[in-house]
Amino acid sequence: IALVISQWNEVVSFLPKLDNRVYKTAQTDMGEHTIHSFGSKYMAYIGKTGLVVMDRKGKEKFSVNMVLDSPSIAVSDKKIVFAPKGKNTIFSVSRSGKVTDFKTDDEINNLKISDSGKIVAITGKKTYNGSAVVYSARGEALFAWDSGTCNLLDASLSPDGKKLAVSVIYTGGT
């Protein structure tokens, strides 16, 4: 359970038990935001106005201010990756707040990150019914899996980043 206290368009306090799950979608004057833990000491708060990382007492560590339309986000203990809906740029944020970005070939539908720092971009590849592309922590494409005739629903990497699991649905035939 997470408690968010908002005052004058800013988050004042978090009181969570920290892990990597989404705790809550909070509606504030700034719009809807999703709260994630970031390591054992911080929370990541993302919405249409950007990303804010705060400590347990609500003190801002850093922020990334940009307009985001329904952003996808993935959080590990060491890094946050996010992408605006329907765009092909992945932003990567380190614990210190350093932001880097890289482009994908197709629009990003969702993101996942392994404990080893590898990133999976679940994309809407046009010639297939989706694709899962695995990138190194530096943004170099390592390999891709295209869904073919099945519709790609989701994908995830093992903690070590060596195994890819995908979820698909096939609606053709009986």
Side-chain angles (χ1 to χ4, degrees), residues 83-103:
K85 182 180 180 179
K87 303 295 182 188
N88 68 335
T89 303
I90 296 175
F91 296 91
S92 178
V93 185
S94 69
R95 275 191 179 183
S96 66
K98 180 181 177 189
V99 180
T100 58
D101 65 81
F102 62 93
K103 300 275 186 196

Side-chain angles (χ1 to χ4, degrees), residues 113-144:
I113 189 167
S114 70
D115 292 342
S116 66
K118 291 180 183 165
I119 303 159
V120 179
I122 300 157
T123 69
K125 190 170 186 177
K126 301 289 185 226
T127 55
Y128 294 91
N129 291 330
S131 183
V133 184
V134 178
Y135 295 91
S136 70
R138 294 184 188 124
E140 301 159 337
L142 301 175
F143 67 91

Side-chain angles (χ1 to χ4, degrees), residues 30-45:
M30 298 178 291
E32 189 173 279
H33 291 76
T34 307
I35 304 163
H36 296 259
S37 65
F38 182 33
S40 61
K41 298 180 181 178
Y42 301 101
M43 296 292 286
Y45 186 72

Side-chain angles (χ1 to χ4, degrees), residues 51-68:
L51 172 77
V52 178
V53 173
M54 298 183 174
D55 65 18
R56 288 180 177 209
K57 296 178 181 179
K59 182 179 177 190
E60 183 177 314
K61 180 173 181 179
F62 62 83
S63 64
V64 179
N65 297 317
M66 63 175 65
V67 177
L68 299 170

Side-chain angles (χ1 to χ4, degrees), residues 20 75-78 113-118 157-161:
N20 285 331
V75 181
S76 73
D77 285 343
K78 299 175 186 171
I113 189 167
S114 70
D115 292 342
S116 66
K118 291 180 183 165
L157 279 173
S158 60
D160 64 5

